[in-house]
Amino acid sequence: MKELKSVYSLEELKSNAVELLKKLIEIPSFSKDEYNTSVEIESFFTKHQIPTKRFKNNIWAVNKHFDEAKPSLLLNTHHDTVKPNKAYTLDPFVAIEKEGKLFGLGSNDAGASLVSLAQTFLHFYEAEDLQYNLVIALTAEEEISGLNGIEALFPQLPNVVLAVVGEPTQMNLAIAEKGLLVIDGEMKGTPSHAAHPNDDNSIVKCMEDLHHILSFKFPKVSDYLGEVKVTLSGIHAGVQHNVVPESCTFTLDVRVTDEYSNKEAFEIIQSQMKSNLTARSFRLNSSKIEMDHPFVQAGIAVGRTTYGSPTSSDQAIIPCTSVKIGPGDSRRSHTADEFIFIDEIGEGIEIYIKILEKVL
């Protein structure tokens, strides 16, 4: 791309970002109820004379010199949040700035990514002769992997070949991400009085089945994400001390690597178990971008590291090559008194710009 002289200085972009994040923190935006934050996002772009489009609670825009003949690079993150937990000592809907931190629900996940990506888009908005169109989509329902977020919007976006997904990664490159497969299982047995012998006890059979799958090792190990991880996250059986129940039910949380599709992982687990299994969904598959991809190489060139992410995001339902990178720390997400360091926002904008200057 030609050398870009942005309309805005870096300090202006940083100031804009913090101002916008404070406004978003103070607007509740639980999944499926993000309308008010979507209006605030629209207002931000309108203030900077950037036309936007809306689909449900998803807001998106394209660069000023959009060219239908070019492929598009997508900047994406979400503006919904989880509900605050009971351990909060601060008001989750009041943006409190102190000791270099900005506190508030959604500040780290993924408000800081959202405002940093918005300023990055602003920086490049008027650039000419880009190799790619630049598209930004700030979307809904990520926290629940909902059907009315990026998955519903994506078919309307113009020829996207790469998605940059903003999530807290300390501005390092998550080049692979585990998928999520939730399995409900049931082991049947013979109900009986607890005082009598019963060699078909559903709980005992279920325990044996679960012990086997929890110690089972999937044959293929990912270079980026390690092993597939199977976790027992729920189990239920019986209501009376003197009755052996007819069934024992359980839930498995399976974090699937790029070596398997969710369907393949399910079939392997079913082959190893005697219980009847049902997958809740196969939608949230693992994702990976190759190390030699220009975006990854650009990130490495500006000093960023690469890693495999154990947490899931909208990457799982974005049907093109994607990479996850954003300011903040994933370990702060969904915690009480969530915060972002102010400096992390400024750093996020700078690094996004530096990487995209090498790609666009």
Side-chain angles (χ1 to χ4, degrees), residues 45-304:
F45 286 116
T46 299
K47 176 182 175 182
H48 294 284
Q49 299 180 316
I50 297 175
T52 60
K53 299 181 182 181
R54 167 185 288 275
F55 179 72
K56 298 184 183 295
N57 289 329
N58 307 295
I59 306 301
W60 64 286
V62 301
N63 57 302
K64 184 174 182 178
H65 300 287
F66 176 84
D67 182 347
E68 290 183 358
K70 293 179 180 179
S72 296
L73 188 154
L74 172 66
L75 306 178
N76 168 245
T77 191
H78 62 98
H79 57 100
D80 63 317
T81 72
V82 296
K83 293 183 178 181
N85 61 60
K86 294 181 180 179
Y88 264 82
T89 63
L90 303 172
D91 188 329
F93 302 112
V94 174
I96 299 172
E97 185 177 345
K98 64 178 181 179
E99 299 176 351
K101 302 174 183 177
L102 180 58
F103 292 86
L105 182 65
S107 56
N108 179 77
D109 181 19
S113 291
L114 187 152
V115 298
S116 298
L117 286 172
Q119 302 308 316
T120 301
F121 182 80
L122 200 59
H123 174 81
F124 287 103
Y125 177 69
E126 296 192 10
E128 299 184 54
D129 298 325
L130 300 177
Q131 293 188 65
Y132 299 86
N133 293 310
L134 197 60
V135 179
I136 188 166
L138 305 174
T139 51
E141 298 190 13
E142 187 273 347
E143 294 290 3
I144 59 170
S145 300
L147 297 175
N148 292 316
I150 187 62
E151 186 175 31
L153 175 65
F154 198 90
Q156 300 183 33
L157 302 179
N159 193 23
V160 175
V161 296
L162 174 67
V164 178
V165 178
E167 291 283 348
T169 70
Q170 298 179 303
M171 288 309 293
N172 290 312
L173 299 156
I175 58 173
E177 176 183 277
K178 283 188 174 181
L180 173 61
L181 173 64
V182 180
I183 298 174
D184 294 310
E186 181 180 33
M187 174 64 79
K188 291 281 192 178
T190 301
S192 69
H193 195 293
H196 300 297
N198 185 341
D199 294 329
D200 193 38
N201 184 315
S202 63
I203 300 175
V204 174
K205 290 166 62 182
C206 189
M207 289 170 61
E208 293 171 349
D209 213 21
L210 290 170
H211 177 75
H212 173 69
I213 197 60
L214 294 175
S215 60
F216 174 76
K217 300 291 185 182
F218 280 72
K220 293 186 285 186
V221 178
S222 168
D223 292 337
Y224 303 109
L225 298 167
E227 298 181 342
V228 174
K229 186 176 187 296
V230 180
T231 301
L232 175 65
S233 56
I235 189 166
H236 178 76
V239 292
Q240 291 181 232
H241 75 90
N242 59 352
V243 177
V244 175
E246 66 175 6
S247 75
C248 180
T249 60
F250 57 90
T251 299
L252 298 174
D253 177 296
V254 186
R255 302 293 166 150
V256 184
T257 73
D258 55 292
E259 292 290 342
Y260 299 94
S261 70
N262 282 0
K263 191 171 184 180
E264 288 170 336
F266 177 82
E267 290 171 351
I268 291 171
I269 292 170
Q270 181 65 90
S271 73
Q272 296 295 316
M273 299 187 72
K274 297 175 182 177
S275 301
N276 295 316
L277 305 182
T278 304
R280 294 186 185 177
S281 169
F282 293 116
R283 291 171 60 229
L284 307 179
N285 284 284
S286 178
S287 61
K288 182 177 73 174
I289 186 171
E290 298 299 335
M291 280 290 292
D292 61 358
H293 191 283
F295 190 94
V296 177
Q297 289 301 306
I300 293 171
V302 301
R304 312 323 297 164

Side-chain angles (χ1 to χ4, degrees), residues 11-39:
E11 288 307 312
E12 286 175 316
L13 294 175
K14 292 177 183 179
S15 177
N16 286 344
V18 173
E19 180 185 355
L20 177 58
L21 183 52
K22 287 179 177 179
K23 291 178 180 178
L24 292 175
I25 286 170
E26 299 193 345
I27 303 172
S29 55
F30 305 138
S31 302
K32 294 192 174 184
D33 191 22
E34 310 98 338
Y35 177 75
N36 290 334
T37 45
S38 73
V39 170

